Amino acid sequence: QTALPLPALIASESDAEKLLELASGNSDVRVVLDGTSRDGTAHNILGWLDRGLDRWIIVSTPVSGWFEVSNERGPGIALWLELARWAADENIEANFLFAGLSGHELGKMGMDALVDSARLPPPPAVCLWLHLGSGIAVQTPLLAAVSSATALEEATRSALVGPTGMSYWPEQKMPKGSEQYVAMQLGYPVVGLFGADPAIHTRLDQAPRIDQAEYRRVFTALLQLIRHQLVSPDCNQGANR
């Protein structure tokens, strides 16, 4: 989805009437927002499935946002939970780390806290880091951003881009303020999914508009990608380093 070349302003509902009046006059204005900042507490959610092996799969998703985030965060969290149940039920020869990251709209603070915690397995031991971002299966174009690794690119195109119709994004296009960009810069083999939707970051992001058939296609494709990575030469070489 191509962004409109227009400035955007998010303000309180009480200011809407005055802002619309100014906008309708086609005049230049200077907007000053006066607000209050206060300290708060947020928590990451981490779950390990440690089978005592030398190779890992990491699955992460943001768990916070503005307003109700039904479509922005709902599908990613649902996929995250379903993948956790699948990993626990199946005899998968890998350890898993599931990370629910808070502070997404505050400069990815949850991701930074996870990196600083020194609780991540080292990049050579990780076969795949799967990051489930915004707006998955919400009837809008979906993107798959992939680390600069030829084998991972080919696997992503085969498992995700083809079966689901999502677009492929190389690492060079990733926004620098994103969680998956941080993981890529640390040397992890990352595949990150994210989409755009007009209701995201507004109070309209309430009633879910998730395409259930598309959700199932994405889930099935993610399983295929994980299984492919577990038998890939890069994964097995990394486990032996």
Side-chain angles (χ1 to χ4, degrees):
Q1 181 171 339
T2 302
L4 296 175
L6 298 172
L9 174 66
I10 297 176
S12 68
E13 187 175 356
S14 60
D15 295 323
E17 183 176 350
K18 182 61 176 179
L19 290 171
L20 290 172
E21 178 186 337
L22 292 171
S24 64
N26 294 320
S27 58
D28 294 335
V29 298
R30 178 171 179 263
V31 179
V32 178
L33 299 181
D34 184 14
T36 301
S37 175
R38 63 179 185 271
D39 293 336
T41 301
H43 302 277
N44 283 343
I45 304 169
L46 304 180
W48 284 266
L49 181 58
D50 191 342
R51 294 188 166 110
L53 302 173
D54 295 326
R55 57 186 193 164
W56 288 80
I57 301 290
I58 299 175
V59 184
S60 61
T61 189
V63 295
S64 63
W66 293 339
F67 311 116
E68 295 189 16
V69 295
S70 298
N71 299 284
E72 181 181 6
R73 295 285 161 244
I77 293 173
L79 285 168
W80 183 74
L81 291 170
E82 193 165 2
L83 286 170
R85 296 188 189 100
W86 169 81
D89 291 341
E90 297 291 324
N91 186 24
I92 307 298
E93 293 187 358
N95 306 320
F96 285 80
L97 167 59
F98 289 88
L101 303 173
S102 189
H104 173 76
E105 304 295 353
L106 296 173
K108 56 175 177 46
M109 291 178 64
M111 179 63 175
D112 292 341
L114 176 61
V115 171
D116 293 343
S117 72
R119 304 181 78 178
L120 285 170
V126 176
C127 299
L128 175 66
W129 184 320
L130 185 60
H131 184 76
L132 306 170
S134 62
I136 299 173
V138 185
Q139 303 176 359
T140 56
L142 191 61
L143 304 174
V146 184
S147 298
S148 296
T150 302
L152 187 56
E153 175 184 343
E154 293 173 353
T156 303
R157 289 185 182 277
S158 175
L160 293 177
V161 175
T164 67
M166 67 180 68
S167 300
Y168 173 82
W169 264 37
E171 179 177 345
Q172 293 78 7
K173 285 190 174 183
M174 273 308 305
K176 294 184 179 180
S178 64
E179 289 92 348
Q180 55 263 48
Y181 180 83
V182 173
M184 289 174 180
Q185 293 302 297
L186 292 173
Y188 288 96
V190 180
V191 174
L193 306 187
F194 61 100
D197 184 82
I200 287 178
H201 291 181
T202 76
R203 293 189 185 277
L204 299 177
D205 191 5
Q206 296 181 4
R209 300 187 314 284
I210 300 165
D211 185 328
Q212 294 296 330
E214 179 65 12
Y215 175 93
R216 298 315 308 173
R217 282 192 292 270
V218 172
F219 177 71
T220 300
L222 293 177
L223 296 186
Q224 180 181 340
L225 179 61
I226 291 172
R227 290 187 174 113
H228 179 278
Q229 283 304 104
L230 289 174
V231 298
S232 69
D234 289 343
C235 179
N236 290 290
Q237 289 174 7
N240 294 323
R241 291 176 193 170

